[in-house]
Structure formats: structure tokens, C-alpha cells
Amino acid sequence: MSNCVLCKDELKPEEGQLIWRGDDCRIILVNDPDLPGFCRVIWNRHVAEMTDLTYGEREHLMNLVFVMEDAIRLVMHPDKVNIAALGNMVPHIHWHIIPRFKDDAFYPGSAWSPRIQKVPELVLSIRQKAAQELPKAILEQISRLY
Amino acid sequence: MSNCVLCKDELKPEEGQLIWRGDDCRIILVNDPDLPGFCRVIWNRHVAEMTDLTYGEREHLMNLVFVMEDAIRLVMHPDKVNIAALGNMVPHIHWHIIPRFKDDAFYPGSAWSPRIQKVPELVLSIRQKAAQELPKAILEQISRLY
């Protein structure tokens, strides 16, 4: 769709880094200063809801979501992983996979809840460094899938 | 776990209505005055993350999530469906499946974002009435699954 930012498929360097691109979807390491390691998998074609996909497409996408969760746990050691497909702003299927820490800006709220605490810069920079290992970890997991 | 509210498995009538119970999970119609039709599927056993489940368990749970999305679309005709597994407050696997409307209290924010608008009572009561059809629609879909 011409007015959909996810159909445009242009990733500005300040928004994040492309980790992997397949025929059906692409995986992004999101540049979120509050939540290092935040990843996103985006369905390439413009589809709004998971139940608009075929069973096979759905399974493929969820396999990728769980591969990303696995890699995030391995690399980031979060207190919890959050997984969400909302799409209210951009109704084009994309899943957020977010490592959450008890001392992060929004915990125990959602990543869309009001900010309730300030994370020390040192802690953030350690997590940002760990997040740089995510592309490799995700690619390794995907190579085992297919 | 003794201190986990989802392990206790006690649903107060004011919290919601049990729609279905299987060996592995149970489905609830949540009583959320702002978001009629809000449903939840809860894994019965205490497990924190999706990648702690076996592949088969994961597939079973996601099948139920998408059955619920399907029923919600059929019955509620939402503008968007939101799906999320967060668990920061209660780290025991549960998925929220939420019909969203452009005029609901939080739209286009998440269901955990600050409230930004007031929904007319008449609109809410029409949606609450529609939500009463959800248990039947979900049970019908599940009966086709297994």
C-alpha cells in the first residue's frame, strides 16, 4: 500500500539495522535507546492480521518470532521477553520481541506504558554492547531452521 | 508456584468468564469495561517464556491464539486485533487477544498506553453485547481444531 511505511521498506540507519531478509519477512534490530536488543520481524507483503495469512505462513512467521526470543534470551539474559503484534499505528503485520529488565525504563509496565524509572548510563551501555551480538545469534538460529 | 496468581487458577466473577479449559490451557473472556471482547489464553502449568515450551506445546497454544483472533474478528468486527504475551507482572505464559477500535479509550496506543479518549456509553454497550457471543464462537472454532 502506497501510504504504508512498512510497505516502503526503507530503513533509516537511525531507526535500526537489518539483520535478515527472507522472501516473506525481514528482521530488524531496532534502535531504541531505552530498550537495547529490541527486535522486530516484519511481513514483507501488506497484510493486516495474522489470520489473513495461510497456516504455513503463520507457522513460518511464528518460528522466526521464537528464534528471535531464543537468541535474545541467549545473548541478553533478560528478566522477561515481551512479544506483541499490535499494528494500531501501522496495520501491516510486524512482531515486536523485546528483552525486558526489572530496572528498565518501563518495567513492570509494557514498552508502551509511561516511563517510570531512569536506567543508569553504564547499565544501558553494557546492554547496548550485548545487543550487538544479536544479529549473529539470530542468523545462527535461522540457519538451523531452514 | 505458590505466589503466582495464574497458578492459583481462581477466576473471580468480576474478573471475567471461563470460556474453555483444556489439559494445557484455559481461555477467559476478560471483564474489561474499556475493551469489550478482550480475551486471554493462559497456559495451565507455570512456565515463563514461549521458548520454555516444546514445539508441539507452542504450536497448540498459538493455534488457540489464532482461533481466538478469528472468533473476535467474526463477532466483534474490530478495526485491529492486538496480540501480546508480556508477563512482566505475572511471569506465567498468557496471551492477550484484544479487539481494538479507532474510537476506543487508548487507540492508536496499546491497551497499556495512557487513556486518550472517552467512548460513548451506547457504543460500549453495543460492543459488550457483541462480546457475549464470543464464548460460543470460540468454542465452535476449537471444536473444528481438534
Side-chain angles (χ1 to χ4, degrees), chain A residues 103-132:
Chain A
D103 63 358
D104 77 34
F106 313 98
Y107 208 92
S110 79
W112 304 274
S113 300
R115 182 186 310 263
I116 55 159
Q117 53 194 350
K118 192 162 164 47
V119 189
E121 280 305 321
L122 179 64
V123 172
L124 273 177
S125 71
I126 290 168
R127 290 188 191 145
Q128 272 148 7
K129 204 170 170 193
Q132 290 169 13

Side-chain angles (χ1 to χ4, degrees), chain B residues 38-114:
Chain B
F38 189 142
C39 291
R40 195 171 289 143
V41 56
I42 302 163
W43 193 254
N44 290 334
R45 193 160 44 87
H46 190 86
V47 176
E49 304 286 8
M50 286 300 291
T51 47
D52 292 327
L53 297 179
T54 66
Y55 287 95
E57 288 172 333
R58 236 181 265 177
E59 194 186 2
H60 171 49
L61 181 49
M62 295 317 296
N63 280 343
L64 289 173
V65 167
F66 298 130
V67 148
M68 290 158 74
E69 176 178 295
D70 226 7
I72 283 174
R73 293 180 74 184
L74 198 70
V75 165
M76 305 290 300
H77 306 288
D79 292 312
K80 188 72 193 66
V81 181
N82 289 179
I83 305 177
L86 309 181
N88 305 326
M89 306 272 194
V90 186
H92 173 136
I93 294 175
H94 58 283
W95 283 86
H96 308 284
I97 300 101
I98 315 169
R100 300 297 311 276
F101 295 90
K102 286 182 179 163
D103 64 358
D104 76 35
F106 314 98
Y107 208 93
S110 80
W112 304 274
S113 300

Side-chain angles (χ1 to χ4, degrees), chain B residues 15 25-26 28 32 39 50 68 80 96 99 134 144:
Chain B
E15 292 170 344
C25 19
R26 57 192 189 269
I28 307 290
D32 186 318
C39 291
M50 286 300 291
M68 290 158 74
K80 188 72 193 66
H96 308 284
L134 266 177
R144 272 177 233 154

Side-chain angles (χ1 to χ4, degrees), chain A residues 33-68:
Chain A
D34 284 314
L35 298 166
F38 189 143
C39 291
R40 196 171 286 143
V41 54
I42 302 164
W43 195 252
N44 289 333
R45 193 160 44 86
H46 190 85
V47 176
E49 305 284 9
M50 287 299 292
T51 46
D52 291 328
L53 298 179
T54 66
Y55 287 94
E57 288 172 335
R58 236 182 265 177
E59 195 185 0
H60 172 49
L61 181 48
M62 294 318 297
N63 280 342
L64 290 173
V65 167
F66 298 129
V67 148
M68 291 157 74

